[in-house]
Amino acid sequence: MQQRSGDGRKDLRYPAAPEPLAVPVYDNHAHLDIVDGDDPLTLVEQLDRAQAVGIAGVVQSSGDIESSRWAVEAAASDPRVLAAVAIHPNDAPTYAEQGRLDEAIGVVDELAAHRRTRAVGETGLDFFRTEPERRGPQFTSFEAHIEIAKKHAIAMQIHDRDAHEAVLETLTRVGAPETTVFHCFSGDDAMARVCADAGYYLSFAGNVTFKNAQNLRDALAVTPLDRILVETDAPFLTPVPLRGRPNAPYLVPITVRFMAAELGVELDELCARIAANSVRVYGAFDD
């Protein structure tokens, strides 16, 4: 249920901070360039709030040329941020129709060379928002992004919406980068096993707490601890009981506590695993 203010409006205030984590973790996928809420937070305010509750760093992910450049600038300005750069699969058809897809992919390639860029993302396939006749450029873009990640020896963050089989087939056919992350994992337990067996990482967001997301909880249950990551996808997917409010990295502790309870593992143990996995995927934040 979405929270609403006293006058019936959707409540767009940032929630109070949760109890801090004793063992810090990382938010491995956020969009802090997207301004949200009644009282928007600056980048530094977002990072300070996150650090205060045990979120040691944030991977700023991208979807177009502008957000990719913003991500690199943010990562260069603060050691608590790393950049992921890409053209979102839903944007790839538009760039193609403008005759700019090659240009956009070229910009991603250039930005991927920056020392604070540690991933290509988010890229992949989205059959939910893109009509079948416009999906060709998604495949072109996805395959190009795979090659960019390999070229620069950095991770890749996959956006997969209603396209599970096509994404897995593309990764097999083209050859996945050495480090591949399924951002906001949306499959079930069977797909989670396939991904884990392939050596991919599964990143869980606040929607794992949603009542109608049993498939995500089933997937979490079968994912090896050394393949689990956590994210906000901020400002989206705010976890229960704050669903509908603006999301931010400082709310990661809510999702992590839920995940620990679902898995039946100690919170500190899960946090330590997530932190180690994050550094293995993206490298040290202060390098």
Side-chain angles (χ1 to χ4, degrees):
M1 179 180 296
Q2 292 187 343
Q3 295 192 347
R4 295 188 177 274
S5 61
D7 61 5
R9 293 187 307 112
K10 183 177 177 181
D11 191 343
L12 294 179
R13 297 171 299 168
Y14 275 96
E19 180 183 351
L21 299 171
V23 177
V25 299
Y26 300 88
D27 179 354
N28 97 112
H29 191 107
H31 300 278
L32 300 183
D33 56 315
I34 300 176
V35 177
D36 196 22
D38 286 341
D39 299 301
L41 301 175
T42 66
L43 175 64
V44 171
E45 288 172 336
Q46 288 273 21
L47 297 170
D48 287 348
R49 285 195 183 192
Q51 188 171 12
V53 296
I55 311 306
V58 178
V59 178
Q60 169 66 21
S61 299
S62 309
D64 56 22
I65 290 175
E66 291 74 21
S67 60
S68 293
R69 286 175 172 154
W70 194 96
V72 172
E73 291 172 4
S77 72
D78 196 301
R80 296 170 292 183
V81 182
L82 293 177
V85 298
I87 304 304
H88 193 284
N90 286 328
D91 287 278
T94 300
Y95 277 111
E97 289 156 5
Q98 296 171 346
R100 300 178 60 213
L101 184 56
D102 288 345
E103 172 199 348
I105 291 171
V107 172
V108 170
D109 188 15
E110 292 175 9
L111 294 174
H114 194 281
R115 69 178 187 85
R116 300 289 293 167
T117 300
R118 304 294 176 80
V120 170
E122 59 190 274
T123 183
L125 301 172
D126 188 317
F127 293 172
F128 178 77
R129 294 192 182 279
T130 299
E131 306 87 345
E133 62 272 16
R134 300 181 72 233
R135 291 175 186 167
Q138 287 196 353
F139 284 92
T140 300
S141 180
F142 186 22
E143 294 179 20
H145 281 71
I146 290 172
E147 297 306 325
I148 291 171
K150 291 178 183 178
K151 173 183 175 180
H152 297 280
I154 55 179
M156 181 175 68
Q157 295 182 339
I158 290 179
H159 172 102
D160 163 28
R161 190 166 187 185
D162 291 358
H164 304 326
E165 292 184 7
V167 167
L168 291 172
E169 186 279 330
T170 301
L171 290 174
T172 299
R173 174 170 48 82
V174 178
E178 182 176 349
T179 305
T180 298
V181 177
F182 274 76
H183 136 68
C184 191
F185 184 78
S186 59
D188 57 12
D189 54 337
M191 182 176 174
R193 289 189 178 95
V194 170
C195 290
D197 288 346
Y200 306 150
Y201 291 84
L202 282 64
S203 179
F204 293 90
N207 57 340
V208 74
T209 70
F210 294 179
K211 183 178 180 180
N212 64 348
Q214 187 59 48
N215 65 304
L216 301 183
R217 293 185 283 277
D218 293 342
L220 174 65
V222 302
T223 303
L225 291 181
D226 65 354
R227 294 290 146 181
I228 293 176
L229 297 170
V230 70
E231 65 174 272
T232 54
D233 199 22
F236 314 108
L237 300 178
T238 313
V240 171
L242 301 170
R243 188 175 181 181
R245 302 276 292 275
N247 201 6
Y250 76 88
L251 298 179
V252 162
I254 298 173
T255 302
V256 174
R257 286 190 168 92
F258 180 92
M259 291 166 62
E262 283 290 314
L263 291 169
V265 302
E266 293 294 328
L267 176 62
D268 288 356
E269 178 187 357
L270 180 60
C271 288
R273 292 285 197 131
I274 289 173
N277 295 343
S278 301
V279 172
R280 190 160 61 247
V281 170
Y282 302 109
F285 275 64
D286 55 1
D287 280 356

